[in-house]
Amino acid sequence: MNVLIVGASVGGLTVAEALRHKGYTGSLRIVGEESHPPYDRPPLSKEVLTGTWPVERTHLRDEQRLAALDADWLLGRTAERLRPADHAVELDDGRVLTYDALVIATGLKPRRLPGQPHLAGVHTLRTLDETLALKRELQVAQRVSVVGAGVLGCEVAAAARTLGKAVTLIDPEPVPMLRTLGHELGGRVAELHRSRGVRLRTGTTVSRLVGENGRVTGIALPGGELVETELVVLALGSVPATGWLAGSGLTLDDGLRCDSTLRAADDVYAVGDVARWSDPATGTTHRLETRTNATEQALVVAANLLGGQRHHRPVPYFWSDQYEIKIQVHGVLGPHARLRLLDHDDSRFAAVAEENGTTTAAIGWNHPRGVRTARRHLAA
Ligand SMILES: Cc1cc2nc3c(=O)[nH]c(=O)nc-3n(C[C@H](O)[C@H](O)[C@H](O)COP(=O)(O)OP(=O)(O)OC[C@H]3O[C@@H](n4cnc5c(N)ncnc54)[C@H](O)[C@@H]3O)c2cc1C
């Protein structure tokens, strides 16, 4: 068999490793748009931005382990077109790679503010190169604005505050991280940022970015207020990196649609942030943007490539580090979930989230041991 993996990050790498681990000895080719060896994204908005980790520490494997995979790495190369009928992928350098089985692990691309001029000092953060560019500018800027108070925006705000910057965090929702944590827990995140000196502007959108001589100087809010700033980080969420699959006949629907075995078409599988899988039990589809999900899906796909019939039925899990606080969530928090504290003191708690009489999530706030115990309520 000849396996081609597009996307050389945690999802793609884990499929390759799991295949070898299970005894696969055939050809493995891995195409990745970024020129870096596979690295971990979670530290980018945390340890890399604050400078507590050198870049090398983000590398997912050292050179020896990558070499031991015996894979053909095509890094710095972009897949531009998929021709499923020919079992072929066209690359940006004109090469055409054929496959017996294809794994698509192309992740996400950050959203930008539509209709805004291109201004220096405006950043997105998805890749290592983007992180290093932002980090360089953070060394000199004093006033930083973050647009979007989701997980990424909150982490960037925390990192910038830790570096002593004056930070404004702007979001249209009433509390940060509403989509992932709901109102009650999102309210605690708001308190956390306020207590650390972040200027929180929730419940407001951005009218436009303001610049002088090609460089951002402010953010105009509705009603005429101007937030003066030297740097803007756009943390507006991301969209699945499926542009290269247009016209392939695969179903694109806020992600690459696949079944619960993560099969998207004959001999084509999807893994990680890009994959939208269907749950036959409920008829619903899901896509997760979490590190653990990418690894779990990769293990399912590796098994299925080798003839298995494994289904992906995860209990979603993510964590976020902001200041010295580690937030951990197993399960799903709806907007109106109520917290029931199980164990708490002044600096930490473990809780379950309840909605309509059902326990939907286990939560740790600086309490890794407590969240493990809370998880048992979820399984019950
Ligand atoms: C800054 C940041 C912080 C995060 N923090 C957390 C956290 O604290 N906790 C958590 O659970 N999750 C976190 N995440 C999410 C987690 O990193 C992702 O869920 C995970 O990286 C998904 O892995 P993936 O392999 O699916 O995609 P990605 O890691 O996005 O990798 C996709 C790769 O495919 C490449 N690619 C895209 N298109 C093409 C193409 N056409 N041809 C070739 N290559 C292509 C991309 O360049 C990229 O290298 C964070 C993400 C970011 C960006």
Side-chain angles (χ1 to χ4, degrees), residues 8-39:
S9 182
V10 62
L13 172 69
T14 309
V15 173
E17 287 185 332
L19 282 172
R20 289 293 189 229
H21 186 70
K22 288 171 178 290
Y24 172 71
T25 54
S27 150
L28 261 182
R29 270 176 308 174
I30 308 176
V31 180
E33 193 170 48
E34 297 178 74
S35 52
H36 304 286
Y39 63 87

Side-chain angles (χ1 to χ4, degrees), residues 142-158:
Q142 286 312 314
R143 284 171 303 179
V144 179
S145 298
V146 182
V147 183
V151 184
L152 179 65
C154 285
E155 289 190 351
V156 172

Side-chain angles (χ1 to χ4, degrees), residues 105-316:
T106 46
L108 307 173
K109 300 277 178 199
R111 269 200 200 98
R112 297 194 73 90
L113 269 181
Q116 298 300 312
H118 177 81
L119 293 169
V122 179
H123 294 258
T124 53
L125 200 162
R126 179 82 198 165
T127 66
L128 177 57
D129 290 344
E130 287 173 324
T131 309
L132 295 179
L134 173 60
K135 189 176 173 210
R136 268 192 303 278
E137 291 214 323
L138 268 173
Q139 280 165 5
V140 282
Q142 286 312 314
R143 284 171 303 179
V144 179
S145 298
V146 182
V147 183
V151 184
L152 179 65
C154 285
E155 289 190 351
V156 172
R161 240 352 253 142
T162 302
L163 292 169
K165 310 299 169 185
V167 178
T168 305
L169 179 57
I170 304 169
D171 196 279
E173 301 293 355
V175 295
M177 294 177 72
L178 176 66
R179 196 172 60 86
T180 40
L181 297 185
H183 285 275
E184 187 178 340
L185 194 49
R188 289 188 184 238
V189 175
E191 274 169 39
L192 171 68
H193 283 277
R194 281 200 188 98
S195 73
R196 303 304 164 97
V198 170
R199 190 167 162 245
L200 209 54
R201 294 305 315 270
T202 47
T204 183
T205 54
V206 164
S207 298
R208 64 192 170 87
L209 301 178
V210 179
E212 262 175 49
N213 302 322
R215 188 167 181 94
V216 74
T217 54
I219 299 179
L221 304 183
E225 186 188 338
L226 181 73
V227 177
E228 291 185 9
T229 195
E230 292 149 75
L231 273 186
V232 172
V233 181
L234 299 176
L236 303 163
S238 302
V239 292
T242 52
W244 66 286
L245 298 171
S248 65
L250 268 57
T251 306
L252 305 178
D253 163 24
D254 183 30
L256 173 56
R257 276 291 287 272
C258 46
D259 63 18
S260 60
T261 67
L262 304 174
R263 186 181 154 281
D266 284 348
D267 305 317
V268 180
Y269 287 84
V271 160
D273 288 6
V274 76
R276 174 169 290 282
W277 79 96
S278 54
D279 177 349
T282 57
T284 50
T285 67
H286 306 270
R287 193 171 63 71
L288 293 175
E289 301 178 1
T290 68
R291 173 71 169 72
T292 305
N293 180 65
T295 316
E296 290 176 351
Q297 288 192 329
L299 300 180
V300 170
V301 165
N304 292 344
L305 282 169
L306 298 177
Q309 261 301 310
R310 275 183 60 185
H311 296 267
H312 183 56
R313 293 198 188 98
V315 174

Side-chain angles (χ1 to χ4, degrees), residues 296-342:
E296 290 176 351
Q297 288 192 329
L299 300 180
V300 170
V301 165
N304 292 344
L305 282 169
L306 298 177
Q309 261 301 310
R310 275 183 60 185
H311 296 267
H312 183 56
R313 293 198 188 98
V315 174
Y317 169 75
F318 80 94
W319 81 95
S320 173
D321 298 330
Q322 298 171 32
Y323 312 99
E324 75 291 353
I325 306 292
K326 181 178 286 297
I327 303 167
Q328 294 171 285
V329 177
H330 294 269
V332 177
L333 276 152
H336 303 293
R338 304 296 307 174
L339 298 191
R340 181 160 62 85
L341 295 183
L342 301 176

